[in-house]
Amino acid sequence: MTTAPSPMLPVQGALIAALRGNADLSALIKGVYDFTPEDVPYPFVVVGESVETPDNRLRGFGRQTVVTLHVWSQYRGYAEVLRIGARVTALLDHQPLTVPGLDWVATRFEFSQTLTDPEPPGNIRHLVLRYRVVTEQH
């Protein structure tokens, strides 16, 4: 058995597929991206930064991938990003993912934080969500 490949890219793809494949979430947002396109209409979700750490066991290799998601909105107040965030968490927290080339073990919600973008005109609301995805080598 050799060291497991990095799960960052397959985990990112699994998260995007899970979010894009849900009609209820699609009704709330204009899209799910791994970057922010120019002139994208609000609200939308971006699968952002990741941190990978080993999670090995006696007879196998595993990884924990902590992924940050960003919900962006121009709604007045935080209600819209919080509704979207609640739907994202319902789709991901303790829900199975299909991670190509790896066995999925767990997905856990870690935290959320609301922010207001300070750039003028200051009308952008931002929700940061973080999830821990545990995978193992086949």
Side-chain angles (χ1 to χ4, degrees):
M1 186 177 295
T2 61
T3 299
S6 172
M8 288 176 132
L9 186 59
V11 164
Q12 179 189 43
L15 291 171
I16 290 171
L19 298 176
R20 286 182 179 166
N22 184 265
D24 291 335
L25 179 62
S26 294
L28 298 174
I29 61 174
K30 303 298 184 196
V32 176
Y33 307 97
D34 67 347
F35 69 101
T36 307
E38 287 186 38
D39 302 322
V40 64
Y42 291 89
F44 60 92
V45 174
V46 174
V47 178
E49 306 77 13
S50 297
V51 175
E52 174 187 323
T53 56
D55 189 22
N56 299 323
R57 59 193 188 306
L58 181 61
R59 295 186 185 193
F61 295 101
R63 297 285 191 273
Q64 293 192 25
T65 307
V66 177
V67 183
T68 303
L69 291 104
H70 304 272
V71 180
W72 298 94
S73 170
Q74 287 184 315
Y75 184 84
R76 295 182 135 200
Y78 291 107
E80 185 171 64
V81 293
L82 292 171
R83 279 192 298 273
I84 295 166
R87 185 69 198 136
V88 168
T89 298
L91 290 171
L92 299 179
D93 189 31
H94 291 84
Q95 299 301 312
L97 288 173
T98 302
V99 183
L102 297 164
D103 292 328
W104 171 87
V105 176
T107 303
R108 297 182 196 103
F109 169 79
E110 287 200 345
F111 86 92
S112 62
Q113 178 182 5
T114 56
L115 301 166
T116 300
D117 190 331
E119 296 296 318
N123 66 340
I124 298 174
R125 298 297 184 257
H126 180 191
L127 178 68
V128 179
L129 299 160
R130 191 160 65 195
Y131 301 88
R132 181 174 305 267
V133 180
V134 182
T135 56
E136 293 179 340
Q137 185 176 355
H138 294 296

